[in-house]
Amino acid sequence: MTDARIPTVRLGADGPQVGVQGLGCMGMNFGYGPTDAGQARAALDRALELGVTLYDTADAYGAGENERFLSPFFKAHRDEVVIATKFALSIPPDEPTKRIIRNDAPYIREAVEASLKRLDVDVIDLYYMHRRDVNVPIEETVGTMAELVREGKVKHLGLSEVTADELRAACAVHPIAAVQSEWSLFSRDIEARVVPAARDLGVALVPYSPLGRGFLTGSFTNAEQDLTAGDFRRQQPRFTGANAAANAALLEPIRAIAEARGATLGQIALAWAQQRASVAGLTVVPIPGTRKPERVAENVAATRITLTEEELAALEPIASRVAGDRYPDMRFASAGRE
């Protein structure tokens, strides 16, 4: 395996230049059960060595602990990394497991100051609205975010899980560099409207969970049986009960292609996600999450795999056959509002 650095692309018309694959950092110390902090920090270092420069976190990951965990790495490599974090999931102090979606101006201002402090930086490179509060006009939310750009607290703006119409309305207020949404062989609902809108508007797509939260790697087949008690995937509809068994069977075409190429299942799933750029005609920067340096190298190697038309055709039916929604409550995903 070569250690050649991955190429770069620009997010949006005037957004940051980043490696064609980023790193989802949530699982470093949140969401996926026990973790090894030393291994997680080694994964960050390995990613940077290989040209991964977009690092994705959020204030809601561990009630700010994920941002704090990443801060030393960001400070050590401030001129080499693009820091992406998010606001919108407010955590009540007396109910730490609850999330309240807020897009109002006072909350956004409170959230950005808290993230800047936890990250210990002067400016956030890419600031996302994490989820949409439909009671606040998107124009007002993006207007407040644009003020943060003018004040020098944020460089570029992003949105997560927005509809095509919401994206268009946002872009009318201020340039949007990137839209995040789940996009993988298991989750393709954004292709109907969000992807065409992003392409027309010159907005980059940043797919989160391009490995289907790990399911597409074949590393587990039933969350209730295979994952630790603290792993949030145990509450995900696709990965438990009868749905898990049905979806595990859908991995067979991926496994066949992987075996024929001498690759892993995860690499084929990631290659498919990376190839959305040429298939859909827009900039695509997947952010697979991992906390192991060897997995970082494996994921980055997927950027050098180009699937054939025959292989793409074999993978095409998978998403339409997936059992279960991607969230227990789809109102908070763009597909639930399209």
Side-chain angles (χ1 to χ4, degrees), residues 211-248:
L211 293 171
R213 307 187 190 281
F215 200 90
L216 289 166
T217 69
S219 58
F220 71 96
T221 56
N222 188 306
E224 293 168 310
Q225 298 173 4
D226 302 338
L227 302 178
T228 60
D231 196 308
F232 87 106
R233 291 172 291 184
R234 289 168 63 94
Q235 281 74 52
Q236 297 296 303
R238 292 182 171 177
F239 308 141
T240 56
N243 287 349
N247 293 335

PDB file of all heavy atoms in Angstrom, residues 211-248:
ATOM      1  N   LEU A 211     -20.007   4.426   5.345  1.00  0.00           N
ATOM      2  CA  LEU A 211     -19.863   2.992   5.585  1.00  0.00           C
ATOM      3  C   LEU A 211     -21.089   2.432   6.306  1.00  0.00           C
ATOM      4  O   LEU A 211     -21.028   1.360   6.903  1.00  0.00           O
ATOM      5  CB  LEU A 211     -18.601   2.720   6.410  1.00  0.00           C
ATOM      6  CG  LEU A 211     -17.286   3.023   5.685  1.00  0.00           C
ATOM      7  CD1 LEU A 211     -16.100   2.928   6.641  1.00  0.00           C
ATOM      8  CD2 LEU A 211     -17.092   2.083   4.500  1.00  0.00           C
ATOM      9  N   GLY A 212     -22.202   3.171   6.225  1.00  0.00           N
ATOM     10  CA  GLY A 212     -23.428   2.683   6.848  1.00  0.00           C
ATOM     11  C   GLY A 212     -23.273   2.452   8.336  1.00  0.00           C
ATOM     12  O   GLY A 212     -23.766   1.457   8.861  1.00  0.00           O
ATOM     13  N   ARG A 213     -22.564   3.369   9.015  1.00  0.00           N
ATOM     14  CA  ARG A 213     -22.284   3.263  10.443  1.00  0.00           C
ATOM     15  C   ARG A 213     -21.553   1.959  10.777  1.00  0.00           C
ATOM     16  O   ARG A 213     -21.727   1.390  11.860  1.00  0.00           O
ATOM     17  CB  ARG A 213     -23.561   3.406  11.271  1.00  0.00           C
ATOM     18  CG  ARG A 213     -24.353   4.660  10.951  1.00  0.00           C
ATOM     19  CD  ARG A 213     -25.513   4.852  11.907  1.00  0.00           C
ATOM     20  NE  ARG A 213     -26.404   5.924  11.450  1.00  0.00           N
ATOM     21  CZ  ARG A 213     -26.187   7.220  11.599  1.00  0.00           C
ATOM     22  NH1 ARG A 213     -25.086   7.621  12.209  1.00  0.00           N
ATOM     23  NH2 ARG A 213     -27.044   8.117  11.154  1.00  0.00           N
ATOM     24  N   GLY A 214     -20.750   1.505   9.829  1.00  0.00           N
ATOM     25  CA  GLY A 214     -19.946   0.302  10.040  1.00  0.00           C
ATOM     26  C   GLY A 214     -20.574  -0.965   9.501  1.00  0.00           C
ATOM     27  O   GLY A 214     -19.883  -1.968   9.291  1.00  0.00           O
ATOM     28  N   PHE A 215     -21.885  -0.944   9.240  1.00  0.00           N
ATOM     29  CA  PHE A 215     -22.562  -2.160   8.786  1.00  0.00           C
ATOM     30  C   PHE A 215     -22.021  -2.622   7.440  1.00  0.00           C
ATOM     31  O   PHE A 215     -21.900  -3.827   7.186  1.00  0.00           O
ATOM     32  CB  PHE A 215     -24.070  -1.913   8.698  1.00  0.00           C
ATOM     33  CG  PHE A 215     -24.897  -3.168   8.712  1.00  0.00           C
ATOM     34  CD1 PHE A 215     -25.340  -3.705   9.904  1.00  0.00           C
ATOM     35  CD2 PHE A 215     -25.233  -3.815   7.533  1.00  0.00           C
ATOM     36  CE1 PHE A 215     -26.110  -4.864   9.923  1.00  0.00           C
ATOM     37  CE2 PHE A 215     -26.000  -4.973   7.538  1.00  0.00           C
ATOM     38  CZ  PHE A 215     -26.437  -5.496   8.740  1.00  0.00           C
ATOM     39  N   LEU A 216     -21.669  -1.674   6.573  1.00  0.00           N
ATOM     40  CA  LEU A 216     -21.188  -2.019   5.234  1.00  0.00           C
ATOM     41  C   LEU A 216     -19.783  -2.611   5.236  1.00  0.00           C
ATOM     42  O   LEU A 216     -19.327  -3.119   4.217  1.00  0.00           O
ATOM     43  CB  LEU A 216     -21.224  -0.784   4.327  1.00  0.00           C
ATOM     44  CG  LEU A 216     -22.625  -0.309   3.931  1.00  0.00           C
ATOM     45  CD1 LEU A 216     -22.585   1.092   3.333  1.00  0.00           C
ATOM     46  CD2 LEU A 216     -23.258  -1.284   2.936  1.00  0.00           C
ATOM     47  N   THR A 217     -19.115  -2.564   6.373  1.00  0.00           N
ATOM     48  CA  THR A 217     -17.793  -3.197   6.468  1.00  0.00           C
ATOM     49  C   THR A 217     -17.908  -4.681   6.806  1.00  0.00           C
ATOM     50  O   THR A 217     -16.922  -5.408   6.739  1.00  0.00           O
ATOM     51  CB  THR A 217     -16.926  -2.526   7.546  1.00  0.00           C
ATOM     52  OG1 THR A 217     -17.473  -2.809   8.847  1.00  0.00           O
ATOM     53  CG2 THR A 217     -16.850  -1.027   7.335  1.00  0.00           C
ATOM     54  N   GLY A 218     -19.112  -5.115   7.204  1.00  0.00           N
ATOM     55  CA  GLY A 218     -19.292  -6.501   7.619  1.00  0.00           C
ATOM     56  C   GLY A 218     -18.773  -6.788   9.011  1.00  0.00           C
ATOM     57  O   GLY A 218     -18.683  -7.949   9.423  1.00  0.00           O
ATOM     58  N   SER A 219     -18.461  -5.728   9.776  1.00  0.00           N
ATOM     59  CA  SER A 219     -17.863  -5.931  11.099  1.00  0.00           C
ATOM     60  C   SER A 219     -18.880  -6.338  12.152  1.00  0.00           C
ATOM     61  O   SER A 219     -18.521  -6.830  13.211  1.00  0.00           O
ATOM     62  CB  SER A 219     -17.141  -4.653  11.550  1.00  0.00           C
ATOM     63  OG  SER A 219     -18.037  -3.553  11.583  1.00  0.00           O
ATOM     64  N   PHE A 220     -20.162  -6.113  11.882  1.00  0.00           N
ATOM     65  CA  PHE A 220     -21.213  -6.621  12.764  1.00  0.00           C
ATOM     66  C   PHE A 220     -22.450  -6.876  11.917  1.00  0.00           C
ATOM     67  O   PHE A 220     -22.621  -6.270  10.856  1.00  0.00           O
ATOM     68  CB  PHE A 220     -21.512  -5.658  13.914  1.00  0.00           C
ATOM     69  CG  PHE A 220     -22.226  -4.396  13.502  1.00  0.00           C
ATOM     70  CD1 PHE A 220     -23.602  -4.285  13.587  1.00  0.00           C
ATOM     71  CD2 PHE A 220     -21.506  -3.296  13.046  1.00  0.00           C
ATOM     72  CE1 PHE A 220     -24.255  -3.121  13.217  1.00  0.00           C
ATOM     73  CE2 PHE A 220     -22.150  -2.125  12.680  1.00  0.00           C
ATOM     74  CZ  PHE A 220     -23.531  -2.040  12.761  1.00  0.00           C
ATOM     75  N   THR A 221     -23.284  -7.782  12.363  1.00  0.00           N
ATOM     76  CA  THR A 221     -24.494  -8.103  11.605  1.00  0.00           C
ATOM     77  C   THR A 221     -25.771  -7.888  12.414  1.00  0.00           C
ATOM     78  O   THR A 221     -26.858  -7.871  11.852  1.00  0.00           O
ATOM     79  CB  THR A 221     -24.478  -9.568  11.119  1.00  0.00           C
ATOM     80  OG1 THR A 221     -24.301 -10.435  12.244  1.00  0.00           O
ATOM     81  CG2 THR A 221     -23.333  -9.780  10.134  1.00  0.00           C
ATOM     82  N   ASN A 222     -25.635  -7.718  13.736  1.00  0.00           N
ATOM     83  CA  ASN A 222     -26.785  -7.421  14.578  1.00  0.00           C
ATOM     84  C   ASN A 222     -26.295  -6.601  15.759  1.00  0.00           C
ATOM     85  O   ASN A 222     -25.555  -7.088  16.602  1.00  0.00           O
ATOM     86  CB  ASN A 222     -27.463  -8.698  15.062  1.00  0.00           C
ATOM     87  CG  ASN A 222     -28.777  -8.402  15.791  1.00  0.00           C
ATOM     88  OD1 ASN A 222     -28.823  -7.623  16.732  1.00  0.00           O
ATOM     89  ND2 ASN A 222     -29.856  -9.038  15.346  1.00  0.00           N
ATOM     90  N   ALA A 223     -26.697  -5.330  15.793  1.00  0.00           N
ATOM     91  CA  ALA A 223     -26.176  -4.405  16.803  1.00  0.00           C
ATOM     92  C   ALA A 223     -26.473  -4.879  18.218  1.00  0.00           C
ATOM     93  O   ALA A 223     -25.641  -4.747  19.117  1.00  0.00           O
ATOM     94  CB  ALA A 223     -26.751  -3.015  16.580  1.00  0.00           C
ATOM     95  N   GLU A 224     -27.668  -5.440  18.433  1.00  0.00           N
ATOM     96  CA  GLU A 224     -28.051  -5.869  19.781  1.00  0.00           C
ATOM     97  C   GLU A 224     -27.157  -6.989  20.283  1.00  0.00           C
ATOM     98  O   GLU A 224     -26.864  -7.078  21.478  1.00  0.00           O
ATOM     99  CB  GLU A 224     -29.510  -6.317  19.787  1.00  0.00           C
ATOM    100  CG  GLU A 224     -30.496  -5.182  19.526  1.00  0.00           C
ATOM    101  CD  GLU A 224     -31.891  -5.699  19.240  1.00  0.00           C
ATOM    102  OE1 GLU A 224     -32.035  -6.595  18.389  1.00  0.00           O
ATOM    103  OE2 GLU A 224     -32.830  -5.192  19.858  1.00  0.00           O
ATOM    104  N   GLN A 225     -26.703  -7.832  19.375  1.00  0.00           N
ATOM    105  CA  GLN A 225     -25.888  -8.974  19.767  1.00  0.00           C
ATOM    106  C   GLN A 225     -24.390  -8.684  19.731  1.00  0.00           C
ATOM    107  O   GLN A 225     -23.625  -9.190  20.552  1.00  0.00           O
ATOM    108  CB  GLN A 225     -26.180 -10.163  18.841  1.00  0.00           C
ATOM    109  CG  GLN A 225     -27.613 -10.660  18.897  1.00  0.00           C
ATOM    110  CD  GLN A 225     -27.886 -11.728  17.837  1.00  0.00           C
ATOM    111  OE1 GLN A 225     -26.989 -12.147  17.120  1.00  0.00           O
ATOM    112  NE2 GLN A 225     -29.138 -12.149  17.737  1.00  0.00           N
ATOM    113  N   ASP A 226     -23.963  -7.843  18.788  1.00  0.00           N
ATOM    114  CA  ASP A 226     -22.536  -7.711  18.502  1.00  0.00           C
ATOM    115  C   ASP A 226     -21.867  -6.471  19.080  1.00  0.00           C
ATOM    116  O   ASP A 226     -20.635  -6.396  19.103  1.00  0.00           O
ATOM    117  CB  ASP A 226     -22.301  -7.707  16.982  1.00  0.00           C
ATOM    118  CG  ASP A 226     -22.836  -8.954  16.298  1.00  0.00           C
ATOM    119  OD1 ASP A 226     -22.999  -9.969  16.991  1.00  0.00           O
ATOM    120  OD2 ASP A 226     -23.094  -8.903  15.086  1.00  0.00           O
ATOM    121  N   LEU A 227     -22.648  -5.484  19.528  1.00  0.00           N
ATOM    122  CA  LEU A 227     -22.069  -4.221  19.963  1.00  0.00           C
ATOM    123  C   LEU A 227     -22.291  -3.994  21.455  1.00  0.00           C
ATOM    124  O   LEU A 227     -23.223  -4.524  22.048  1.00  0.00           O
ATOM    125  CB  LEU A 227     -22.668  -3.064  19.160  1.00  0.00           C
ATOM    126  CG  LEU A 227     -22.491  -3.158  17.641  1.00  0.00           C
ATOM    127  CD1 LEU A 227     -23.172  -1.987  16.956  1.00  0.00           C
ATOM    128  CD2 LEU A 227     -21.018  -3.221  17.263  1.00  0.00           C
ATOM    129  N   THR A 228     -21.414  -3.184  22.056  1.00  0.00           N
ATOM    130  CA  THR A 228     -21.471  -2.937  23.489  1.00  0.00           C
ATOM    131  C   THR A 228     -22.697  -2.121  23.872  1.00  0.00           C
ATOM    132  O   THR A 228     -23.304  -1.439  23.047  1.00  0.00           O
ATOM    133  CB  THR A 228     -20.206  -2.191  23.955  1.00  0.00           C
ATOM    134  OG1 THR A 228     -20.128  -0.939  23.266  1.00  0.00           O
ATOM    135  CG2 THR A 228     -18.961  -3.010  23.676  1.00  0.00           C
ATOM    136  N   ALA A 229     -23.026  -2.135  25.155  1.00  0.00           N
ATOM    137  CA  ALA A 229     -24.246  -1.500  25.640  1.00  0.00           C
ATOM    138  C   ALA A 229     -24.264   0.002  25.371  1.00  0.00           C
ATOM    139  O   ALA A 229     -25.325   0.590  25.174  1.00  0.00           O
ATOM    140  CB  ALA A 229     -24.410  -1.766  27.135  1.00  0.00           C
ATOM    141  N   GLY A 230     -23.102   0.644  25.348  1.00  0.00           N
ATOM    142  CA  GLY A 230     -23.047   2.088  25.144  1.00  0.00           C
ATOM    143  C   GLY A 230     -23.049   2.526  23.702  1.00  0.00           C
ATOM    144  O   GLY A 230     -22.920   3.721  23.416  1.00  0.00           O
ATOM    145  N   ASP A 231     -23.210   1.597  22.782  1.00  0.00           N
ATOM    146  CA  ASP A 231     -23.147   1.917  21.360  1.00  0.00           C
ATOM    147  C   ASP A 231     -24.521   2.348  20.857  1.00  0.00           C
ATOM    148  O   ASP A 231     -25.495   1.599  20.949  1.00  0.00           O
ATOM    149  CB  ASP A 231     -22.668   0.690  20.577  1.00  0.00           C
ATOM    150  CG  ASP A 231     -22.193   1.002  19.181  1.00  0.00           C
ATOM    151  OD1 ASP A 231     -22.961   1.663  18.449  1.00  0.00           O
ATOM    152  OD2 ASP A 231     -21.083   0.597  18.808  1.00  0.00           O
ATOM    153  N   PHE A 232     -24.607   3.582  20.309  1.00  0.00           N
ATOM    154  CA  PHE A 232     -25.913   4.118  19.921  1.00  0.00           C
ATOM    155  C   PHE A 232     -26.545   3.355  18.759  1.00  0.00           C
ATOM    156  O   PHE A 232     -27.751   3.465  18.530  1.00  0.00           O
ATOM    157  CB  PHE A 232     -25.791   5.609  19.575  1.00  0.00           C
ATOM    158  CG  PHE A 232     -25.419   5.913  18.151  1.00  0.00           C
ATOM    159  CD1 PHE A 232     -26.369   6.401  17.273  1.00  0.00           C
ATOM    160  CD2 PHE A 232     -24.131   5.680  17.684  1.00  0.00           C
ATOM    161  CE1 PHE A 232     -26.031   6.672  15.950  1.00  0.00           C
ATOM    162  CE2 PHE A 232     -23.797   5.963  16.372  1.00  0.00           C
ATOM    163  CZ  PHE A 232     -24.752   6.454  15.496  1.00  0.00           C
ATOM    164  N   ARG A 233     -25.756   2.578  18.022  1.00  0.00           N
ATOM    165  CA  ARG A 233     -26.314   1.821  16.905  1.00  0.00           C
ATOM    166  C   ARG A 233     -27.290   0.750  17.367  1.00  0.00           C
ATOM    167  O   ARG A 233     -28.071   0.221  16.561  1.00  0.00           O
ATOM    168  CB  ARG A 233     -25.185   1.202  16.074  1.00  0.00           C
ATOM    169  CG  ARG A 233     -24.374   2.241  15.320  1.00  0.00           C
ATOM    170  CD  ARG A 233     -23.155   1.638  14.664  1.00  0.00           C
ATOM    171  NE  ARG A 233     -22.167   1.215  15.656  1.00  0.00           N
ATOM    172  CZ  ARG A 233     -20.969   0.724  15.350  1.00  0.00           C
ATOM    173  NH1 ARG A 233     -20.611   0.595  14.076  1.00  0.00           N
ATOM    174  NH2 ARG A 233     -20.114   0.366  16.305  1.00  0.00           N
ATOM    175  N   ARG A 234     -27.276   0.423  18.649  1.00  0.00           N
ATOM    176  CA  ARG A 234     -28.222  -0.558  19.176  1.00  0.00           C
ATOM    177  C   ARG A 234     -29.661  -0.036  19.131  1.00  0.00           C
ATOM    178  O   ARG A 234     -30.602  -0.814  19.291  1.00  0.00           O
ATOM    179  CB  ARG A 234     -27.842  -0.918  20.621  1.00  0.00           C
ATOM    180  CG  ARG A 234     -26.563  -1.749  20.704  1.00  0.00           C
ATOM    181  CD  ARG A 234     -26.062  -1.822  22.128  1.00  0.00           C
ATOM    182  NE  ARG A 234     -26.996  -2.486  23.006  1.00  0.00           N
ATOM    183  CZ  ARG A 234     -26.985  -3.779  23.323  1.00  0.00           C
ATOM    184  NH1 ARG A 234     -26.061  -4.565  22.786  1.00  0.00           N
ATOM    185  NH2 ARG A 234     -27.854  -4.284  24.155  1.00  0.00           N
ATOM    186  N   GLN A 235     -29.818   1.286  18.894  1.00  0.00           N
ATOM    187  CA  GLN A 235     -31.157   1.857  18.771  1.00  0.00           C
ATOM    188  C   GLN A 235     -31.507   2.202  17.323  1.00  0.00           C
ATOM    189  O   GLN A 235     -32.565   2.784  17.060  1.00  0.00           O
ATOM    190  CB  GLN A 235     -31.250   3.137  19.615  1.00  0.00           C
ATOM    191  CG  GLN A 235     -31.451   2.898  21.112  1.00  0.00           C
ATOM    192  CD  GLN A 235     -30.182   2.419  21.786  1.00  0.00           C
ATOM    193  OE1 GLN A 235     -29.141   3.054  21.645  1.00  0.00           O
ATOM    194  NE2 GLN A 235     -30.265   1.328  22.525  1.00  0.00           N
ATOM    195  N   GLN A 236     -30.636   1.842  16.388  1.00  0.00           N
ATOM    196  CA  GLN A 236     -30.886   2.179  14.990  1.00  0.00           C
ATOM    197  C   GLN A 236     -31.741   1.094  14.321  1.00  0.00           C
ATOM    198  O   GLN A 236     -31.399  -0.090  14.387  1.00  0.00           O
ATOM    199  CB  GLN A 236     -29.573   2.342  14.235  1.00  0.00           C
ATOM    200  CG  GLN A 236     -28.711   3.486  14.747  1.00  0.00           C
ATOM    201  CD  GLN A 236     -29.380   4.828  14.548  1.00  0.00           C
ATOM    202  OE1 GLN A 236     -29.735   5.211  13.451  1.00  0.00           O
ATOM    203  NE2 GLN A 236     -29.552   5.574  15.641  1.00  0.00           N
ATOM    204  N   PRO A 237     -32.835   1.480  13.673  1.00  0.00           N
ATOM    205  CA  PRO A 237     -33.778   0.484  13.139  1.00  0.00           C
ATOM    206  C   PRO A 237     -33.160  -0.512  12.163  1.00  0.00           C
ATOM    207  O   PRO A 237     -33.603  -1.664  12.095  1.00  0.00           O
ATOM    208  CB  PRO A 237     -34.835   1.343  12.434  1.00  0.00           C
ATOM    209  CG  PRO A 237     -34.755   2.677  13.100  1.00  0.00           C
ATOM    210  CD  PRO A 237     -33.320   2.862  13.472  1.00  0.00           C
ATOM    211  N   ARG A 238     -32.168  -0.089  11.397  1.00  0.00           N
ATOM    212  CA  ARG A 238     -31.626  -0.968  10.358  1.00  0.00           C
ATOM    213  C   ARG A 238     -30.755  -2.094  10.892  1.00  0.00           C
ATOM    214  O   ARG A 238     -30.488  -3.050  10.172  1.00  0.00           O
ATOM    215  CB  ARG A 238     -30.803  -0.141   9.367  1.00  0.00           C
ATOM    216  CG  ARG A 238     -31.643   0.795   8.548  1.00  0.00           C
ATOM    217  CD  ARG A 238     -30.829   1.567   7.556  1.00  0.00           C
ATOM    218  NE  ARG A 238     -31.709   2.290   6.648  1.00  0.00           N
ATOM    219  CZ  ARG A 238     -31.295   3.103   5.686  1.00  0.00           C
ATOM    220  NH1 ARG A 238     -30.014   3.323   5.518  1.00  0.00           N
ATOM    221  NH2 ARG A 238     -32.168   3.698   4.905  1.00  0.00           N
ATOM    222  N   PHE A 239     -30.295  -1.949  12.116  1.00  0.00           N
ATOM    223  CA  PHE A 239     -29.242  -2.843  12.594  1.00  0.00           C
ATOM    224  C   PHE A 239     -29.683  -3.774  13.708  1.00  0.00           C
ATOM    225  O   PHE A 239     -28.860  -4.373  14.390  1.00  0.00           O
ATOM    226  CB  PHE A 239     -28.048  -2.008  13.082  1.00  0.00           C
ATOM    227  CG  PHE A 239     -27.576  -1.001  12.064  1.00  0.00           C
ATOM    228  CD1 PHE A 239     -27.181   0.257  12.455  1.00  0.00           C
ATOM    229  CD2 PHE A 239     -27.535  -1.313  10.716  1.00  0.00           C
ATOM    230  CE1 PHE A 239     -26.747   1.194  11.520  1.00  0.00           C
ATOM    231  CE2 PHE A 239     -27.107  -0.397   9.775  1.00  0.00           C
ATOM    232  CZ  PHE A 239     -26.716   0.863  10.178  1.00  0.00           C
ATOM    233  N   THR A 240     -30.996  -3.894  13.911  1.00  0.00           N
ATOM    234  CA  THR A 240     -31.499  -4.756  14.969  1.00  0.00           C
ATOM    235  C   THR A 240     -32.623  -5.647  14.454  1.00  0.00           C
ATOM    236  O   THR A 240     -33.275  -5.337  13.459  1.00  0.00           O
ATOM    237  CB  THR A 240     -32.030  -3.914  16.149  1.00  0.00           C
ATOM    238  OG1 THR A 240     -33.026  -3.009  15.667  1.00  0.00           O
ATOM    239  CG2 THR A 240     -30.905  -3.110  16.808  1.00  0.00           C
ATOM    240  N   GLY A 241     -32.825  -6.759  15.131  1.00  0.00           N
ATOM    241  CA  GLY A 241     -33.927  -7.664  14.839  1.00  0.00           C
ATOM    242  C   GLY A 241     -33.927  -8.198  13.416  1.00  0.00           C
ATOM    243  O   GLY A 241     -32.881  -8.470  12.822  1.00  0.00           O
ATOM    244  N   ALA A 242     -35.135  -8.321  12.868  1.00  0.00           N
ATOM    245  CA  ALA A 242     -35.294  -8.873  11.518  1.00  0.00           C
ATOM    246  C   ALA A 242     -34.641  -7.973  10.477  1.00  0.00           C
ATOM    247  O   ALA A 242     -34.145  -8.454   9.450  1.00  0.00           O
ATOM    248  CB  ALA A 242     -36.774  -9.071  11.209  1.00  0.00           C
ATOM    249  N   ASN A 243     -34.630  -6.659  10.716  1.00  0.00           N
ATOM    250  CA  ASN A 243     -33.993  -5.748   9.764  1.00  0.00           C
ATOM    251  C   ASN A 243     -32.513  -6.066   9.609  1.00  0.00           C
ATOM    252  O   ASN A 243     -31.969  -6.033   8.496  1.00  0.00           O
ATOM    253  CB  ASN A 243     -34.147  -4.294  10.228  1.00  0.00           C
ATOM    254  CG  ASN A 243     -35.558  -3.770  10.060  1.00  0.00           C
ATOM    255  OD1 ASN A 243     -36.400  -4.398   9.425  1.00  0.00           O
ATOM    256  ND2 ASN A 243     -35.825  -2.617  10.641  1.00  0.00           N
ATOM    257  N   ALA A 244     -31.849  -6.348  10.713  1.00  0.00           N
ATOM    258  CA  ALA A 244     -30.413  -6.637  10.662  1.00  0.00           C
ATOM    259  C   ALA A 244     -30.133  -7.864   9.798  1.00  0.00           C
ATOM    260  O   ALA A 244     -29.198  -7.858   8.981  1.00  0.00           O
ATOM    261  CB  ALA A 244     -29.876  -6.849  12.071  1.00  0.00           C
ATOM    262  N   ALA A 245     -30.936  -8.903   9.970  1.00  0.00           N
ATOM    263  CA  ALA A 245     -30.730 -10.123   9.189  1.00  0.00           C
ATOM    264  C   ALA A 245     -30.961  -9.869   7.704  1.00  0.00           C
ATOM    265  O   ALA A 245     -30.197 -10.326   6.841  1.00  0.00           O
ATOM    266  CB  ALA A 245     -31.658 -11.220   9.689  1.00  0.00           C
ATOM    267  N   ALA A 246     -32.020  -9.111   7.391  1.00  0.00           N
ATOM    268  CA  ALA A 246     -32.320  -8.806   5.992  1.00  0.00           C
ATOM    269  C   ALA A 246     -31.214  -7.967   5.367  1.00  0.00           C
ATOM    270  O   ALA A 246     -30.791  -8.204   4.227  1.00  0.00           O
ATOM    271  CB  ALA A 246     -33.656  -8.087   5.897  1.00  0.00           C
ATOM    272  N   ASN A 247     -30.713  -6.998   6.104  1.00  0.00           N
ATOM    273  CA  ASN A 247     -29.699  -6.106   5.559  1.00  0.00           C
ATOM    274  C   ASN A 247     -28.333  -6.768   5.444  1.00  0.00           C
ATOM    275  O   ASN A 247     -27.548  -6.447   4.553  1.00  0.00           O
ATOM    276  CB  ASN A 247     -29.620  -4.835   6.414  1.00  0.00           C
ATOM    277  CG  ASN A 247     -30.881  -4.000   6.295  1.00  0.00           C
ATOM    278  OD1 ASN A 247     -31.591  -4.074   5.294  1.00  0.00           O
ATOM    279  ND2 ASN A 247     -31.179  -3.214   7.316  1.00  0.00           N
ATOM    280  N   ALA A 248     -28.057  -7.718   6.327  1.00  0.00           N
ATOM    281  CA  ALA A 248     -26.783  -8.445   6.234  1.00  0.00           C
ATOM    282  C   ALA A 248     -26.693  -9.204   4.917  1.00  0.00           C
ATOM    283  O   ALA A 248     -25.616  -9.307   4.316  1.00  0.00           O
ATOM    284  CB  ALA A 248     -26.635  -9.397   7.417  1.00  0.00           C
TER     285      ALA A 248
END
